[in-house]
Amino acid sequence: MKKIVSLVVFIAALVWTWNVIHTTDAVGFETHSGIQAKLAELIKNTLAVKKPNAKELSITRLWTESLGENKVRAVFAYKFIDTSEGGEALEQVIEGEALLHREPSEDSAVDKWTLQSVKTTNDIVVFTEGSTLTPGEEAPEPEQTPAATPTPAPTATPRK
């Protein structure tokens, strides 16, 4: 009896692994690769437009996963160095995700994917040079801020 049960379990496992290996993906590897390349290009172009002083762009993470036959989720993280108003170099790290949807196309050999939504989930700013503050010292007053002038309090007039 044990031999028959173990034979049935072995055949079931063999059939299951055969099906797992030979099934086709809903979205192919080439499609994932193409989406990732286009998203990297979109990130570079958007950064060049929105932050023209940014330099040393590095895409640290970019991967896609299939959520169905017509939907793909992309997760990304990139960092770049930008200069603040005071001329200090800041490293910014931005993480986020995007949802893409497959649109019908006239040419069946070409997939057309459109961005449904893009949201950033984490924005981190790393200061490369910090300001040193010690306890007991007062922060210097900025020269650009005008001094506050006291406004006189309204006085009540007696009624007759």
Side-chain angles (χ1 to χ4, degrees):
M1 184 69 175
K2 286 184 181 181
K3 289 182 181 183
I4 294 174
V5 172
S6 63
L7 181 64
V8 169
V9 169
F10 177 72
I11 291 174
L14 187 62
V15 168
W16 177 75
T17 56
W18 177 268
N19 287 334
V20 167
I21 291 172
H22 289 90
T23 56
T24 58
D25 293 331
V27 178
F29 174 77
E30 293 83 12
T31 303
H32 283 285
S33 178
I35 289 173
Q36 291 170 5
K38 287 291 187 182
L39 280 176
E41 183 180 326
L42 179 67
I43 289 170
K44 289 176 187 175
N45 293 340
T46 303
L47 187 65
V49 169
K50 295 210 181 230
K51 299 210 180 250
N53 295 332
K55 56 186 176 186
E56 296 182 31
L57 171 66
S58 171
I59 298 176
T60 57
R61 180 178 50 196
L62 180 58
W63 57 271
T64 55
E65 67 176 332
S66 182
L67 297 178
E69 196 166 313
N70 293 324
K71 198 172 247 189
V72 170
R73 175 179 169 235
V75 177
F76 59 87
Y78 60 94
K79 64 182 177 179
F80 59 94
I81 295 178
D82 198 10
T83 54
S84 68
E85 295 171 355
E88 180 182 356
L90 306 171
E91 180 182 70
Q92 291 190 332
V93 179
I94 298 175
E95 298 176 351
E97 65 180 50
L99 287 176
L100 292 99
H101 182 70
R102 184 186 312 199
E103 295 289 326
S105 178
E106 293 83 28
D107 187 5
S108 62
V110 176
D111 282 340
K112 181 180 174 185
W113 292 88
T114 57
L115 279 171
Q116 275 188 327
S117 67
V118 177
K119 75 175 176 183
T120 56
T121 56
N122 198 7
D123 296 338
I124 301 168
V125 177
V126 179
F127 296 94
T128 54
E129 298 173 11
S131 299
T132 305
L133 298 176
T134 56
E137 287 185 13
E138 290 190 26
E141 289 290 323
E143 296 176 18
Q144 300 167 345
T145 306
T149 58
T151 56
T155 57
T157 56
R159 291 189 185 176
K160 292 186 180 182

